[in-house]
Amino acid sequence: MRFCETRLSRQRKAQGLAMHRILYRSVASDDFRSDDLFKVIEVSARNNPERDVTGFLLYKAGRFLQFIEGPQENLGVLLSQLAKDPRHHDVELLVDTPASRRCFPKWRMQRIGSDDQAIAELTDAMRAAGLDEKFAAEIRRFLQA
């Protein structure tokens, strides 16, 4: 499997579709309801395969933290769309870095709870994926705020 991912990564780079990882946070709009979160996850999980985007979303106390990975060009288009989404504001890019492979290839858009068990599972998944410490530090800051 690793060989296929590496070969696919080389093909993407040759096509100008180098892998990238982005972490951003934002503030939910005042009228955002908890059932809206499930709609966001559902629509993202449906649309992200076409975009070749994977990642996860954390929601806590009216704030979002989202990790997305995929071809850099696709992420740029997605971020432009997200910036216009009225369900949140104050979008702040925290980490934007190239990647040689995906960390979460099966997570078309995974919702991560903010309880201790969910965070422990996310921490284990990040460690297993070899995710850079910059991401882990920002995620910890988000959860502690």
Side-chain angles (χ1 to χ4, degrees):
M1 183 66 172
R2 188 174 295 277
F3 169 76
C4 292
E5 287 179 334
T6 303
R7 186 172 156 199
L8 184 56
S9 294
R10 282 193 300 258
Q11 289 172 343
R12 284 189 177 126
K13 286 179 186 174
Q15 297 169 349
L17 298 174
M19 286 291 297
H20 232 68
R21 293 183 187 134
I22 290 176
L23 185 71
Y24 76 88
R25 68 178 164 215
S26 63
V27 177
S29 62
D30 290 338
D31 59 348
F32 189 83
R33 298 183 327 257
S34 59
D35 62 321
D36 291 332
L37 180 61
F38 295 102
K39 292 175 190 168
V40 168
I41 296 294
E42 179 185 332
V43 170
S44 296
R46 187 175 58 237
N47 292 338
N48 283 351
E50 182 179 313
R51 295 178 177 136
D52 196 21
V53 171
T54 55
F56 63 81
L57 178 68
L58 281 161
Y59 177 76
K60 181 181 178 190
R63 298 174 303 122
F64 296 102
L65 183 78
Q66 187 167 31
F67 172 92
I68 49 178
E69 58 186 352
Q72 184 176 13
E73 184 177 321
N74 297 11
L75 294 182
V77 170
L78 179 57
L79 281 175
S80 294
Q81 293 170 342
L82 291 170
K84 298 173 190 171
D85 189 328
R87 295 174 291 193
H88 69 151
H89 56 89
D90 296 339
V91 176
E92 181 182 358
L93 189 61
L94 302 172
V95 184
D96 181 356
T97 186
S100 60
R101 63 180 178 84
R102 289 183 191 273
C103 287
F104 307 109
K106 295 183 180 179
W107 290 6
R108 290 299 170 190
M109 188 45 57
Q110 183 76 20
R111 179 188 167 275
I112 307 292
S114 58
D115 60 79
D116 291 341
Q117 180 180 350
I119 299 310
E121 289 172 7
L122 175 60
T123 302
D124 290 345
M126 290 184 338
R127 190 174 297 120
L131 193 60
D132 189 298
E133 177 56 31
K134 293 181 285 192
F135 289 95
E138 289 293 346
I139 293 167
R140 282 193 298 272
R141 263 194 284 280
F142 176 83
L143 293 169
Q144 292 169 354

